[in-house]
């Protein structure tokens, strides 16, 4: 993890939020490469989930009517148990003490569970994770609103709007990508548990009785999505929620977990939420949220199968999955260490880099011309500094799948070398084929 965190900062994937002021706990900023990677992950998800006939997309507001969160159960149930250390004043999530270290510099490296055994902690009390703010200039209880802790509720409250605007028939889904906020008691493990993050959620509305079939369908689709983007099969597993771990709204739930360096952790949840959400919103809003099924001539409250992925957590998983350190031959045939991000080409922040072999004989001009022709279509990079081997290494670290080098042969026959990031194999292609070559790779 330390190596990955350092690469993320050095190469401009992830920065600490407000770093020049000492940082803000649980918040991170995406740098030039990070924002491209994040956008590519979101685009891959959006394409897989909404470029199909039975799913519509929406983008709901972050601030919603406060009654939404009463109806959803968040005001009452979205809490974590919190304890304070009476000695060092550190604050812990009571159900995660086993994983935490004591907050006192005097006991550096000591497990918090030892402090618990020694009776240093207060009684656990419930802490609501929703961030509160106020609508309008007066900060009173009548003006309280919450920053949404999940995007799902924006979909439920728009169920009727989408049905009538899109004329979709059950079974169908509504998808959304957006920010969510949770005032986590303890943030940890880089992007894994943060206070501000992004979710990619899809709610699939089905006829009661068909819910278990659709639950299985979405479980397998969502696992396949990660595999299609080159996640290693052995690093993914399902974890079923049982007993007290099953959320208040769920009949069945599985997490897709990824094997991080600190252990397996959830990256996506697939939940059978039954008719809980629409029934609750019907009760609290007084609006009829039932659905008339033309085919079976029945009226019912749809069941919901939810797929809920974290965009930021997935990004971290994709980075861990792609990070490789290996020995690779140099141009002179010696072996040297290289760090490479083997990202799926569609996720790679930069798709291609262009290098003149040397800065003379017209090579930079040709390289610049090619780069400028390709730039409107793909995110590309031009580099003419240092030995070409160094330039390859820099692109390997950024995950760039293809590097094109303009050399003396280019001057004679209008061909360039294209070097593949993973195999490091090179082939010559004609300059006028570069665009179609790249288009073929990213179809
Ligand atoms: N609508 C259901 C829901 O929000 P969840 O399991 O609480 O379910 C879904 O969250 C996903 O959101 C998680 O699998 C994770 O990827 C991401 N997520 C949740 N809390 C997070 C946090 N504090 N920081 C980063 N990602 C988080």
């Amino acid at each position: 993890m330390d190596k990955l965190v350092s690469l993320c900062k050095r190469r401009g994937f992830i920065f600490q939020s407000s770093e020049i002021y000492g940082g803000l706990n649980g918040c991170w900023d995406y740098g030039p490469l990070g924002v491209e990677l994040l956008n590519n992950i979101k685009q891959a998800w959006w394409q897989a989930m909404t470029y199909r006939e039975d799913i519509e997309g929406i983008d709901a507001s972050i601030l919603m009517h406060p009654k939404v969160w009463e109806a959803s159960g968040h005001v009452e149930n979205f809490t974590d148990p919190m304890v304070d250390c009476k000695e060092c004043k550190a604050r812990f999530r009571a159900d995660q003490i086993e994983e935490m270290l004591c907050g006192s510099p005097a006991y550096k490296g000591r497990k918090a569970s030892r402090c618990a055994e020694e009776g240093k902690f207060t009684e656990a009390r419930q802490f609501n994770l929703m961030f509160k703010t106020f609508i309008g200039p007066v900060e009173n209880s009548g003006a309280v609103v919450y920053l949404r802790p999940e995007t799902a509720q924006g979909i439920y409250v728009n169920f009727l709007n989408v049905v009538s605007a899109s004329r979709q028939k059950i079974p169908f889904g509504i998808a959304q990508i957006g920010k969510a906020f949770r005032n986590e008691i303890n943030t940890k493990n880089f992007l894994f548990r943060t206070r501000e993050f992004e979710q990619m959620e899809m709610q699939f509305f089905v006829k009661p009785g068909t819910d278990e079939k659709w639950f299985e369908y979405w479980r397998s689709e969502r696992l396949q999505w990660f595999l299609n983007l080159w996640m290693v099969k052995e690093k993914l597993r399902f974890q079923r929620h049982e007993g007290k771990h099953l959320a208040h709204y769920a009949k069945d739930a599985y997490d897709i977990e990824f094997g991080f360096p600190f252990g397996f952790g959830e990256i996506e949840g697939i939940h059978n939420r039954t008719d809980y959400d629409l029934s609750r919103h019907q009760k609290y809003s007084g609006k009829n949220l039932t659905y008339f099924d033309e085919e079976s001539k029945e009226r019912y409250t749809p069941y919901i199968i939810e797929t809920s992925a974290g965009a930021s957590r997935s990004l971290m998983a994709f980075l861990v999955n792609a990070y490789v350190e290996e020995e690779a031959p140099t141009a002179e045939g010696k072996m040297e260490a290289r760090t490479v991000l083997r990202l799926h080409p569609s996720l790679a922040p930069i798709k291609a880099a262009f290098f003149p072999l040397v800065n003379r004989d017209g090579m930079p001009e040709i390289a610049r011309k090619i780069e400028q022709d390709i730039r409107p279509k793909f995110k590309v990079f031009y580099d003419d500094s240092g030995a070409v081997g160094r330039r390859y290494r820099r692109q390997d670290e950024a995950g760039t799948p293809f590097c094109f080098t303009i050399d003396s042969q280019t001057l004679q026959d209008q061909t360039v070398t294209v070097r593949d990031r993973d195999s490091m194999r090179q082939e010559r292609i004609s300059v006028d084929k570069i665009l179609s070559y790249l288009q073929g790779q990213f179809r």
Side-chain angles (χ1 to χ4, degrees):
M1 267 322 280
D2 289 347
K3 284 181 178 172
L4 187 71
V5 173
S6 124
L7 180 134
C8 281
K9 163 123 204 247
R10 187 163 37 85
R11 295 309 310 265
F13 280 93
I14 312 287
F15 306 128
Q16 205 183 0
S17 162
S18 323
E19 192 181 345
I20 60 167
Y21 290 98
L24 182 66
N25 205 321
C27 300
W28 297 90
D29 296 345
Y30 292 83
L33 294 186
V35 68
E36 291 295 332
L37 175 58
L38 184 66
N39 284 342
N40 293 340
I41 292 169
K42 291 191 285 184
Q43 182 55 30
W45 185 89
W46 192 252
Q47 211 159 325
M49 300 301 274
T50 72
Y51 289 16
R52 35 185 290 165
E53 231 180 348
D54 56 356
I55 300 187
E56 305 287 341
I58 66 162
D59 187 6
S61 63
I62 288 173
L63 300 178
M64 300 176 74
H65 195 291
K67 275 215 152 167
V68 167
W69 306 109
E70 287 176 38
S72 68
H74 282 82
V75 171
E76 196 184 337
N77 296 313
F78 199 55
T79 55
D80 279 338
M82 178 173 78
V83 292
D84 290 317
C85 175
K86 287 181 262 185
E87 195 175 309
C88 74
K89 310 292 176 222
R91 197 153 262 182
F92 298 98
R93 226 176 103 168
D95 56 344
Q96 288 179 353
I97 283 178
E98 287 303 321
E99 306 157 32
M100 305 299 294
L101 293 180
C102 165
S104 165
Y107 298 113
K108 206 162 180 277
R110 184 191 222 228
K111 287 196 148 192
S113 52
R114 260 188 75 189
C115 306
E117 282 157 22
E118 288 167 14
K120 291 188 177 156
F121 290 161
T122 58
E123 283 297 303
R125 55 201 193 286
Q126 292 299 324
F127 171 74
N128 195 296
L129 300 186
M130 283 196 294
F131 279 100
K132 267 186 198 162
T133 185
F134 302 92
I135 285 268
V138 186
E139 294 190 6
N140 62 26
S141 60
V144 166
V145 286
Y146 302 97
L147 299 189
R148 66 181 177 198
E150 61 171 13
T151 60
Q153 301 301 323
I155 293 180
Y156 306 142
V157 300
N158 277 298
F159 170 66
L160 286 185
N161 287 336
V162 175
V163 169
S164 64
S166 66
R167 298 170 54 224
Q168 283 281 3
K169 295 198 170 28
I170 277 177
F172 82 97
I174 306 178
Q176 170 169 223
I177 298 177
K179 289 265 178 158
F181 303 83
R182 296 183 189 177
N183 202 357
E184 301 283 357
I185 298 168
N186 298 126
T187 59
K188 63 172 186 176
N189 290 331
F190 198 29
L191 305 179
F192 188 79
R193 180 163 296 118
T194 55
R195 298 202 164 100
E196 176 178 339
F197 55 96
E198 230 169 339
Q199 289 187 315
M200 309 184 288
E201 295 199 305
M202 192 281 300
Q203 315 293 324
F204 204 73
F205 300 86
V206 304
K207 186 176 174 184
T210 65
D211 51 307
E212 287 174 17
K213 179 187 86 185
W214 282 109
F215 184 69
E216 288 310 316
Y217 170 84
W218 280 112
R219 221 153 66 79
S220 116
E221 283 291 294
R222 291 306 306 147
L223 184 71
Q224 195 55 46
W225 184 78
F226 287 106
L227 295 173
N228 291 348
L229 291 170
W230 293 4
M231 279 233 178
V232 175
K233 205 168 176 204
E234 292 66 39
K235 286 192 176 159
L236 291 174
R237 72 175 191 199
F238 276 118
Q239 188 73 26
R240 195 173 197 171
H241 286 209
E242 284 174 286
K244 66 180 172 49
H245 297 292
L246 202 58
H248 60 276
Y249 52 72
K251 166 175 157 186
D252 201 356
Y254 279 85
D255 289 340
I256 298 178
E257 292 189 339
F258 177 81
F260 291 100
F262 48 82
F264 272 88
E266 172 191 349
I267 50 175
E268 170 156 353
I270 294 108
H271 311 127
N272 182 344
R273 302 184 64 126
T274 69
D275 59 359
Y276 176 85
D277 304 282
L278 290 182
S279 304
R280 293 277 292 193
H281 284 301
Q282 172 156 298
K283 182 169 160 209
Y284 280 72
S285 68
K287 296 281 182 310
N288 182 354
L289 298 181
T290 57
Y291 171 85
F292 183 71
D293 194 323
E294 301 280 356
E295 211 173 278
S296 65
K297 307 286 177 222
E298 286 169 90
R299 184 166 281 286
Y300 53 79
T301 306
Y303 270 36
I304 292 171
I305 307 302
E306 169 180 68
T307 70
S308 175
S312 6
R313 247 188 224 181
S314 303
L315 177 139
M316 187 166 86
F318 280 119
L319 281 173
V320 170
N321 185 67
Y323 185 95
V324 176
E325 284 177 4
E326 63 185 16
E327 289 284 304
T330 62
E332 298 77 40
K334 283 193 293 192
M335 295 303 275
E336 70 169 19
R338 79 161 182 161
T339 300
V340 51
L341 285 184
R342 291 190 198 272
L343 290 166
H344 187 285
S346 68
L347 299 187
I350 298 169
K351 305 302 187 200
F354 296 92
F355 311 147
L357 184 62
V358 289
N359 284 319
R360 58 182 149 77
D361 303 335
M363 289 182 214
E365 290 74 14
I366 299 173
R368 267 284 181 216
K369 164 92 178 54
I370 297 172
E371 173 251 315
Q372 279 162 9
D373 287 347
I374 304 293
R375 190 175 281 286
K377 302 274 190 317
F378 291 103
K379 184 84 184 164
V380 297
F381 191 77
Y382 178 86
D383 191 0
D384 61 7
S385 70
V388 80
R390 293 274 135 239
R391 289 182 246 170
Y392 284 144
R393 295 288 180 270
R394 286 201 287 265
Q395 293 308 313
D396 289 343
E397 235 186 20
T400 308
F402 306 105
C403 291
F404 296 87
T405 302
I406 288 75
D407 55 17
S408 53
Q409 197 176 325
T410 314
L411 311 174
Q412 287 151 25
D413 64 4
Q414 282 78 51
T415 63
V416 294
T417 62
V418 51
R419 182 245 196 201
D420 178 88
R421 177 196 66 200
D422 300 336
S423 66
M424 293 192 289
R425 268 200 294 274
Q426 300 193 17
E427 58 175 316
R428 289 203 84 85
I429 66 164
S430 163
V431 168
D432 58 9
K433 294 271 172 7
I434 296 177
L435 182 59
S436 56
Y437 178 90
L438 286 173
Q439 280 165 337
Q441 304 291 340
F442 297 103
R443 246 199 305 269

